[in-house]
């Protein structure tokens, strides 16, 4: 169209989009839907919506839905609202048009009850069918003749009126003829399996008939969690069996998820084994009784990774593929409410069933810690139960605080493992906060237990708690300490002499985050060009350095201090430094590895030289 046509007042041509049905089916099967299996869901959905509309139009009508698969041909018959010839043209042959939108056909009052929204239900059946035949008769216009709509996957269709006896009663029957390569999806056993999977909780009685002709129920209502049981124990057994069939595990416990205001009903099953917090559990979600997905990972809060839920909802919105939940404000509110229900369950366990709570926490304490970070009230409630690694063993913070008026913690597991035995011998209470969430919870502890002091344990604090060596003894070892400090100074490490328990530990390597940052800065400066060397040099601060604390109580330290050879003394000190580094389980820098190798070879050379020099004297004896 030329620009003059847009400016001279001539009305523009109006054209319609052309749709390539084969291309659209390919788009559906490879991008919108995860599997061809959804065609059974779409058939059930259309039938349920049709009978819902029929019940709204005629509350006394007899309702039935029958699904069958015989010789690979699938059919579904319903006693629903049916369609006239005009409605067939409008609704079945127009992609995206749905009778459930707006107020079409006077059904606005029942629209909220419908499952379908997007007008692509029958189109989805082309992922397995090469031809679809629909025979329908309208309940709103009972005098109108039955209508046949026959469509093929090349995008063509025909519509014709049928004799009255072709369908005497209102309703619709859909027939699918499979296309080559899709026969596995229309086999009787597969169709029945999919029908039960998708439709077991639908609100109408649905039956299935296979090649043997026998009719079997598809629906199984009410849901397991909504049934009446003789005793609470019988209900727990039933729910446990349901979980085993659905998810393949026997749960530690079950949590009712009944939120009438939010239109959500269901149950959450507690996993019997630990799982990673990073694992996003898939929850089984039904929409008005129709299975939407068994992989909904946005239904519960992230911290509730220790449960698998199955729920039925009336209010949440599906995505266009109807295979997940649309993440909107409604879902966010429901997610918070479901999280509050899980939290309430924990509170009830703590108040009334401590044995079950202890069994749960022995497996899933990490999930509760994750929740407690944002809930001080729950944290206070869980204090007697949540386990922490301390230098007194596994303890709750309640127990540990009763034994220590001041709690120290390390931020890494390596620091804790090195310091724990030393701290225990000197009466320090240390918690290993190197595990997920523990440091955050310890930071909250003073607010819950006023008067309790919680501090991070650094190298200076540990050194100050160790017994000082008498001044005369330290002065007598001044030469040894000077040699040791000179050898370790290039490695950013000071040397301190203390007396501590256990005696078997000759040396202790201590540093903190500031010291590690300074060591990393110095290492980067060594390898930087002139510009970065100047910049990194300007960043050098007065941060404390790492410390090698030598144990004056240890006999080996005393023997090394008495060596007359300064070179041998330096090599021995480097060996002590390397051994202390290894005991701290920190990653070794290249310079540390070089030092360890040099010290080891130096000691071997000294040992072999010493042996070879004394052997001739021994041979002469």
């Amino acid at each position: 169209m030329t620009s003059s046509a847009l400016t001279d007042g001539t009305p523009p041509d109006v054209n319609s989009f052309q749709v390539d049905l084969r291309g659209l089916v390919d788009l559906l099967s490879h991008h919108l839907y995860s599997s061809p299996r959804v065609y059974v869901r779409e058939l059930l959905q259309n039938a349920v919506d049709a009978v819902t509309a029929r019940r709204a139009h005629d509350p006394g009508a007899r309702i039935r839905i029958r699904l069958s698969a015989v010789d690979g041909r699938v059919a579904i018959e319903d006693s629903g609202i049916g369609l006239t010839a005009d409605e067939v043209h409008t609704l079945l042959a127009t992609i995206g048009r749905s009778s459930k939108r707006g107020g079409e056909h006077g059904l606005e009052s029942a629209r909220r009850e419908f499952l379908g929204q997007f007008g692509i239900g029958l189109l989805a059946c082309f992922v397995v069918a090469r031809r679809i035949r629909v025979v329908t008769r309208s309940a709103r216009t009972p005098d109108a003749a039955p209508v046949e709509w026959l469509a093929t996957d090349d995008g063509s269709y025909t519509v014709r009126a049928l004799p009255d006896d072709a369908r005497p009663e209102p309703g619709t029957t859909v027939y699918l003829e499979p296309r080559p390569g899709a026969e596995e999806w229309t086999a009787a056993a597969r169709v029945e399996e999919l029908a039960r999977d998708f439709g077991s909780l639908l609100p109408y009685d649905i039956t299935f008939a296979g090649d043997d002709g026998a009719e079997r129920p598809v629906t199984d209502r009410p849901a397991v969690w909504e049934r009446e049981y003789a005793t609470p124990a019988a209900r727990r057994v039933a729910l446990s069996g349901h979980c085993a069939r659905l998810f393949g595990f026997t749960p530690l416990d079950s949590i009712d998820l009944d939120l009438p205001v939010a239109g959500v009903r269901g149950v959450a099953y507690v996993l019997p084994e630990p799982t990673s917090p990073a694992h996003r559990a898939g929850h089984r979600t039904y929409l008005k009784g129709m299975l939407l997905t068994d992989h909904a990972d946005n239904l519960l809060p992230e911290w509730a990774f220790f449960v698998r839920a199955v729920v039925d909802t009336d209010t949440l919105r599906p995505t266009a593929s109807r295979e997940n939940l649309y993440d909107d404000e409604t879902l966010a509110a429901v997610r918070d409410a479901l999280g509050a229900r899980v939290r309430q369950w924990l509170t009830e366990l703590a108040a009334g069933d401590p044995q079950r709570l202890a069994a749960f926490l022995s497996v899933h304490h990490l999930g509760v810690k994750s929740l407690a970070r944002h809930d001080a009230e729950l944290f206070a409630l869980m204090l007697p139960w949540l386990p922490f690694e301390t230098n007194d063993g596994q303890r709750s913070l309640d127990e540990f605080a009763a034994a220590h008026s001041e709690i120290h913690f390390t931020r890494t597991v390596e620091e804790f493992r090195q310091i724990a035995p030393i701290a225990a011998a000197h009466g320090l209470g240390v918690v290993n906060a190197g595990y997920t969430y523990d440091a955050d919870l310890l930071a909250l502890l003073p607010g819950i237990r006023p008067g309790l002091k919680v501090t991070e344990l650094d190298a200076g604090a540990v050194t100050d708690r160790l017994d000082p060596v008498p001044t005369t003894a330290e002065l007598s070892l001044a030469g040894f300490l000077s040699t040791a400090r000179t050898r370790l100074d290039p490695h950013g490490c000071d040397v301190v002499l203390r007396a501590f328990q256990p005696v078997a530990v000759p040396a202790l390597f201590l540093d903190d985050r500031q010291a590690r940052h300074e060591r990393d800065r110095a290492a980067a400066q060594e390898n930087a060009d002139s510009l970065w060397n100047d910049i990194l040099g300007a960043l050098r601060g007065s941060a404390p350095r790492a410390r090698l604390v030598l144990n004056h109580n240890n006999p080996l330290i005393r023997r090394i201090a008495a060596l007359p050879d300064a070179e041998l003394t330096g090599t021995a000190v480097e060996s002590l430094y390397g051994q202390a580094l290894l005991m701290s389980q920190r990653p070794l820098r290249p310079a540390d590895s070089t030092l360890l190798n040099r010290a080891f070879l130096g000691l071997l050379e000294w040992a072999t030289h010493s042996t070879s020099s004394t052997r001739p004297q021994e041979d002469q004896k």
Side-chain angles (χ1 to χ4, degrees):
M1 186 179 296
T2 63
S3 59
S4 60
L6 297 175
T7 58
D8 63 4
T10 303
D13 294 334
V14 178
N15 299 286
S16 298
F17 285 103
Q18 301 298 312
V19 177
D20 178 358
L21 185 59
R22 289 184 185 273
L24 190 56
V25 168
D26 180 73
L27 178 67
L28 290 175
S29 59
H30 291 95
H31 300 283
L32 184 62
Y33 296 129
S34 62
S35 165
R37 68 196 295 268
V38 297
Y39 87 93
V40 174
R41 183 193 66 198
E42 300 298 339
L43 288 176
L44 290 172
Q45 172 184 295
N46 284 345
V48 168
D49 286 344
V51 297
T52 299
R54 176 74 182 276
R55 179 157 286 177
H57 173 76
D58 180 7
R62 177 174 172 268
I63 299 299
R64 71 180 185 280
I65 299 175
R66 181 179 184 271
L67 181 65
S68 64
V70 179
D71 296 331
R73 296 173 182 266
V74 177
I76 186 167
E77 180 182 5
D78 67 66
S79 57
I81 195 67
L83 299 172
T84 64
D86 289 341
E87 290 168 350
V88 164
H89 280 289
T90 302
L91 300 176
L92 298 188
T94 304
I95 296 168
R97 178 66 64 86
S98 172
S99 65
K100 279 79 75 174
R101 296 211 187 126
E104 292 185 33
H105 313 301
L107 298 178
E108 176 62 23
S109 62
R111 187 174 67 87
R112 63 180 178 273
E113 302 298 329
F114 294 133
L115 294 169
Q117 301 178 29
F118 300 102
I120 56 176
L122 265 186
L123 182 64
C125 294
F126 277 117
V127 300
V128 299
R130 72 179 187 87
R131 185 165 65 175
I132 300 174
R133 180 172 179 252
V134 178
V135 177
T136 184
R137 185 164 195 164
S138 174
R140 287 187 297 270
T141 314
D143 294 336
V147 179
E148 177 195 70
W149 180 79
L150 184 65
T152 59
D153 62 359
D154 63 1
S156 63
Y157 72 91
T158 61
V159 177
R160 65 184 178 114
L162 298 177
D164 282 349
D165 58 1
R167 185 171 183 95
E169 299 294 330
T172 301
T173 304
V174 179
Y175 303 90
L176 302 185
E177 182 178 329
R179 56 192 178 95
E183 294 84 0
E184 64 169 304
W185 296 104
T186 59
R190 176 59 69 89
V191 175
E192 183 175 8
E193 174 192 353
L194 293 177
R196 293 182 190 280
D197 197 35
F198 283 116
S200 62
L201 298 185
L202 286 171
Y204 306 108
D205 290 335
I206 301 173
T207 60
F208 174 82
D211 294 318
D212 57 4
E215 290 201 17
R216 295 176 288 277
V218 169
T219 47
D220 184 22
R221 304 184 318 275
V224 175
W225 56 87
E226 294 179 332
R227 297 175 187 174
E228 296 290 335
Y229 297 93
T231 64
R235 186 174 189 271
R236 284 196 297 270
V237 170
L239 290 176
S240 180
H242 177 250
C243 177
R245 292 189 300 274
L246 204 61
F247 296 126
F249 64 85
T250 301
L252 279 179
D253 205 348
S254 58
I255 307 168
D256 285 319
L257 303 177
D258 191 11
L259 304 174
V261 175
V264 175
R265 306 157 300 280
V267 62
Y269 295 114
V270 180
L271 292 166
E273 297 177 350
T275 186
S276 167
H279 176 68
R280 298 297 297 275
H283 305 293
R284 191 173 177 90
T285 307
Y286 293 84
L287 179 62
K288 301 182 180 72
M290 178 75 79
L291 177 67
L292 189 68
T293 178
D294 51 9
H295 299 293
D297 60 2
N298 56 355
L299 181 65
L300 266 70
E302 290 185 8
W303 56 259
F305 55 83
F306 51 84
V307 300
R308 294 284 299 278
V310 51
V311 300
D312 187 17
T313 175
D314 298 331
T315 58
L316 300 179
R317 290 174 56 197
T319 58
S321 67
R322 295 182 54 77
E323 293 186 311
N324 213 332
L325 295 169
Y326 188 80
D327 213 333
D328 56 9
E329 292 181 357
T330 302
L331 178 57
V334 167
R335 184 164 50 237
D336 290 343
L338 293 177
R341 182 64 195 91
V342 176
R343 180 192 179 281
Q344 180 186 351
W345 170 78
L346 286 170
T347 304
E348 292 169 353
L349 281 188
D353 201 338
Q355 287 187 333
R356 284 171 65 199
L357 177 63
F360 166 74
L361 289 178
S362 68
V363 179
H364 295 299
H365 59 274
L366 203 58
V368 179
K369 286 182 177 181
S370 174
L371 172 58
R373 290 180 304 152
H374 309 292
D375 191 329
E377 184 181 349
L378 178 67
F379 183 35
L381 186 68
M382 292 290 115
L383 270 183
W385 310 102
L386 287 176
F388 287 79
E389 185 178 2
T390 77
N391 58 340
D392 291 345
Q394 285 286 335
R395 295 285 187 274
S396 71
L397 290 182
D398 248 8
E399 294 175 303
F400 200 62
H404 301 277
S405 60
E406 181 177 1
I407 293 180
H408 302 276
F409 67 91
T410 62
R411 289 191 178 271
T412 67
V413 176
E414 292 77 11
E415 285 178 329
F416 176 80
R417 288 174 180 167
Q418 185 186 18
I419 291 173
I422 311 298
H426 291 266
L428 286 172
V430 183
V431 175
N432 182 1
Y435 296 116
T436 308
Y437 311 131
D438 285 5
D440 294 336
L441 293 177
L442 284 167
L444 296 175
L445 192 55
I448 297 172
R449 293 287 186 272
L452 183 64
K453 187 177 181 182
V454 178
T455 58
E456 182 174 356
L457 193 64
D458 58 24
V462 175
T463 306
D464 292 342
R465 287 297 188 104
L466 303 181
D467 295 334
V469 176
T471 305
T472 54
E474 188 163 1
L475 287 175
S476 67
L477 299 176
F480 162 67
L481 293 175
S482 176
T483 299
R485 288 165 181 153
T486 300
R487 294 297 284 264
L488 297 185
D489 183 68
H491 300 279
C493 183
D494 290 332
V495 177
V496 179
L497 187 65
R498 291 289 187 272
F500 56 87
Q501 301 294 327
V503 173
V505 177
L508 182 66
F509 179 80
L510 299 175
D511 67 353
D512 51 29
R513 283 182 297 167
Q514 289 181 315
R516 287 193 291 274
H517 290 165
E518 176 59 22
R519 295 173 74 198
D520 292 340
R521 185 208 60 77
Q525 184 178 1
E526 290 179 4
N527 300 318
D529 56 28
S530 58
L531 174 61
W532 282 107
N533 190 288
D534 293 340
I535 294 174
L536 291 170
L539 294 176
R540 181 176 183 176
S542 58
R545 306 204 322 157
R547 299 182 183 187
L548 181 68
V549 184
L550 302 177
N551 188 359
H552 188 252
N553 291 338
N554 183 270
L556 177 61
I557 295 297
R558 296 191 180 190
R559 289 197 296 269
I560 293 175
L563 290 174
D565 187 337
E567 183 62 28
L568 179 58
T569 300
T571 301
V573 168
E574 288 181 338
S575 298
L576 289 170
Y577 171 79
Q579 187 263 352
L581 274 179
L582 293 174
M583 291 297 294
S584 71
Q585 300 184 30
R586 289 176 174 81
L588 296 180
R589 301 172 298 169
D592 297 329
S593 299
T594 301
L595 176 144
L596 272 171
N597 185 56
R598 183 176 66 244
F600 177 71
L601 293 178
L603 290 178
L604 278 181
E605 183 178 354
W606 177 84
T608 54
H609 176 75
S610 176
T611 301
S612 63
S613 64
T614 58
R615 181 164 298 164
Q617 298 177 0
E618 294 174 353
D619 292 342
Q620 292 173 2
K621 292 182 180 179

